[in-house]
Amino acid sequence: MMGEKGKRMVTRINEETLILTDTILEGDKKVTRKRLVRLFPERLFWTNTRLSEDGKYSQFLYQIFPDRDGGSRLDFIGSHVFYDKERPKPEEIASMAEELAMKDSKVWELLAEAMEKDFRLRDHE
């Protein structure tokens, strides 16, 4: 669904908290990534905190807001934790942000297509 080959395991900690463990193929090697997700359904808001070594403790915040036309929009804030001794230069940060935005946008496009398909199937039941 998200354009990658792999599997996801969901471990529910409580009603609002879960751990996502994704194992995907990157080339010939398996990569496992863990994330702690905290849900705030009454606010249509959730957090995603990386637990794996790559970007460990980086946190991403998502919130859905209604639009005037009956649709909705997703607001996103990302806070990446750097472990290098030096903070990257502003142009390096801008380049990384652009690359991540493109990758994340593609994932959300794929998820939107899957959600639309689910809603169409439910409408015909």
Side-chain angles (χ1 to χ4, degrees):
M1 182 181 350
M2 296 173 68
E4 298 176 320
K5 291 187 179 192
K7 63 180 181 172
R8 169 171 281 173
M9 185 174 76
V10 179
T11 305
R12 189 168 288 279
I13 305 300
N14 60 35
E15 196 64 27
E16 303 87 19
T17 311
L18 45 111
I19 295 176
L20 301 179
T21 304
D22 295 330
T23 303
I24 60 168
L25 285 174
E26 286 186 352
D28 292 338
K29 100 179 172 178
K30 283 186 179 181
V31 176
T32 299
R33 294 187 180 112
K34 280 190 168 188
R35 296 173 175 91
L36 175 71
V37 176
R38 176 79 177 169
L39 306 170
F40 301 86
E42 68 283 353
R43 296 180 54 205
L44 300 176
F45 175 79
W46 67 100
T47 65
N48 173 345
T49 305
R50 290 183 182 173
L51 300 176
S52 302
E53 288 306 312
D54 181 30
K56 192 170 189 172
Y57 306 129
S58 296
Q59 193 166 55
F60 306 90
L61 313 175
Y62 303 87
Q63 190 162 13
I64 299 172
F65 292 97
D67 279 340
R68 291 183 185 143
D69 64 1
S72 60
R73 78 171 196 278
L74 175 68
D75 284 0
F76 163 83
I77 297 171
S79 177
H80 186 81
V81 177
F82 293 100
Y83 288 90
D84 299 329
K85 292 179 182 175
E86 292 181 16
R87 182 176 171 86
K89 294 178 175 78
E91 59 272 8
E92 293 172 324
I93 292 173
S95 176
M96 285 187 273
E98 185 176 331
E99 182 181 326
L100 288 170
M102 293 293 286
K103 185 178 178 182
D104 285 350
S105 292
K106 184 60 181 167
V107 167
W108 281 103
E109 287 173 19
L110 293 169
L111 289 172
E113 288 174 17
M115 287 186 285
E116 285 180 28
K117 183 178 177 182
D118 282 352
F119 282 122
R120 280 195 301 274
L121 289 173
R122 286 185 200 158
D123 287 344
H124 289 94
E125 288 181 353

